[in-house]
């Protein structure tokens, strides 16, 4: 039954990366157990617009996997009904408040990329930091969560979404705490510095190569320490 649950969850992950001119995308998911509470998705709205989803349900195993799958399903339904970014975030949050126990919630990034303007508008419920690598300067912005986690409490006054603009070579990174908090034998976390060190070594590589190298680097950093949390990475890179 657990194997079936794993197959169902893994089957919800994107089968291929979206195609938008001028952009490259990559994602990776590695659960701690056979199933996990992390999720990510790409939902093309048209040739120029793409919805980005990344989340992390509290805990590990079957229960969080169900919550993660529920969030993805609700988002897909909301987008089919042409909900706005704000409406999708608010309604999914409020439904999770009704469905989840009081000690459970889901951190989640809901973002809308418009390739015509090269801007991403997003709400980040408890999910952070959100990485923005500026290729021209080599500097990083690490955006904190914009609001509380999904399912924590009903949304009554959602602030306007945060907006970032991607210049040529820039990377938007949605990275779960399973990467940032991965410890080595000395108890040192991989952290933002570990992520940045990988990108600094691969300034011109595509998103898939960067994701693969981050996954390799974090496991090398951990050494003999087993993975303690689900790992998810989603990168969007503007190529031109």
């Amino acid at each position: 039954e657990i194997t079936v649950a794993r197959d169902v969850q893994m089957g919800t992950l994107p089968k291929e990366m979206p195609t938008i001119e001028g952009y490259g995308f990559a994602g990776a998911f590695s659960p701690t157990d056979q199933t996990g509470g992390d999720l990510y998705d790409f939902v093309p709205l048209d040739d120029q617009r793409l919805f980005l989803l990344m989340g992390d349900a509290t805990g590990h195993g079957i229960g969080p996997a169900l919550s993660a799958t529920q969030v993805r399903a609700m988002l897909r339904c909301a987008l089919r009904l042409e909900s706005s970014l704000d409406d999708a975030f608010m309604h999914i949050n409020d439904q999770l408040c009704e469905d989840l126990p009081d000690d459970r919630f889901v951190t989640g990034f809901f973002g809308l990329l418009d390739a015509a303007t090269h801007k991403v508008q997003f709400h980040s419920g408890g999910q952070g930091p959100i990485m923005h690598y500026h290729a021209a300067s080599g500097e990083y912005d690490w955006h904190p969560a914009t609001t509380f986690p999904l399912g924590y409490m009903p949304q009554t006054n959602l602030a306007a979404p945060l907006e970032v603009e991607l210049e040529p070579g820039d990377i938007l990174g949605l990275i779960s705490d399973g990467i940032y908090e991965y410890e080595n034998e000395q108890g040192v976390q991989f952290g933002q510095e570990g992520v940045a060190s990988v990108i600094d070594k691969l300034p011109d590589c595509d998103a898939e190569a960067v994701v693969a190298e981050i996954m390799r680097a974090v496991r090398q950093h951990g050494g003999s320490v087993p993975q303690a949390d689900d790992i998810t990475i989603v990168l969007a890179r503007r190529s031109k």
Side-chain angles (χ1 to χ4, degrees):
E1 291 179 352
I2 293 176
T3 300
V4 171
R6 176 183 173 84
D7 290 344
V8 170
Q9 182 178 31
M10 300 305 281
T12 65
L13 298 176
K15 305 297 187 297
E16 57 186 19
M17 293 300 102
T19 301
I20 293 183
E21 185 176 358
Y23 282 85
F25 305 93
F29 169 55
S30 176
T32 305
D33 302 317
Q34 285 191 285
T35 58
D38 282 10
L39 71 148
Y40 76 93
D41 201 5
F42 300 103
V43 187
L45 302 182
D46 53 41
D47 292 342
Q48 297 271 280
R49 296 183 304 144
L50 177 72
F51 205 100
L52 304 167
L53 170 67
M54 186 273 208
D56 181 0
T58 50
H60 311 291
I62 296 292
L66 290 172
S67 297
T69 304
Q70 180 184 8
V71 169
R72 177 191 177 275
M74 288 193 293
L75 175 65
R76 288 267 178 165
C77 288
L79 295 179
R80 282 181 178 271
L81 295 171
E82 299 183 350
S83 294
S84 67
L85 171 65
D86 291 358
D87 286 345
F89 187 90
M90 291 183 64
H91 288 307
I92 291 173
N93 172 78
D94 292 351
Q95 187 62 53
L96 289 174
C97 287
E98 295 184 16
D99 293 347
L100 296 180
D102 291 341
D103 61 344
R104 296 284 178 173
F105 54 84
V106 180
T107 63
F109 174 98
F110 285 42
L112 181 59
L113 165 66
D114 187 338
T117 63
H118 304 294
K119 294 180 179 179
V120 181
Q121 292 186 325
F122 67 87
H123 294 293
S124 184
Q127 185 65 50
I130 305 303
M131 184 198 77
H132 180 190
Y133 166 70
H134 297 269
S137 64
E139 297 179 348
Y140 293 80
D141 290 331
W142 303 94
H143 297 286
T146 61
T147 187
F148 48 78
L150 296 156
Y152 182 75
M153 63 183 294
Q155 278 281 2
T156 57
N157 188 25
L158 183 65
L162 191 63
E163 182 176 275
V164 298
E165 184 171 355
L166 300 178
E167 300 292 341
D170 283 10
I171 300 175
L172 181 69
L174 320 177
I175 303 171
S176 71
D177 53 9
I179 289 284
Y180 292 126
E181 297 175 3
Y182 206 123
E183 296 184 352
N184 61 14
E185 292 93 338
Q186 292 74 42
V188 177
Q189 295 184 350
F190 189 66
Q192 298 172 20
E193 297 81 4
V195 172
S197 68
V198 171
I199 295 173
D200 290 343
K201 295 174 184 176
L202 304 171
D204 301 317
C205 288
D206 61 26
E208 291 187 354
V210 175
V211 164
E213 183 58 19
I214 291 175
M215 293 291 283
R216 187 204 64 78
V218 75
R219 296 196 186 283
Q220 182 181 54
H221 168 83
S224 62
V225 177
Q227 180 180 331
D229 198 1
D230 300 327
I231 287 175
T232 303
I233 309 174
V234 174
L235 296 187
R237 179 162 213 169
R238 182 182 171 188
S239 57
K240 61 181 182 179

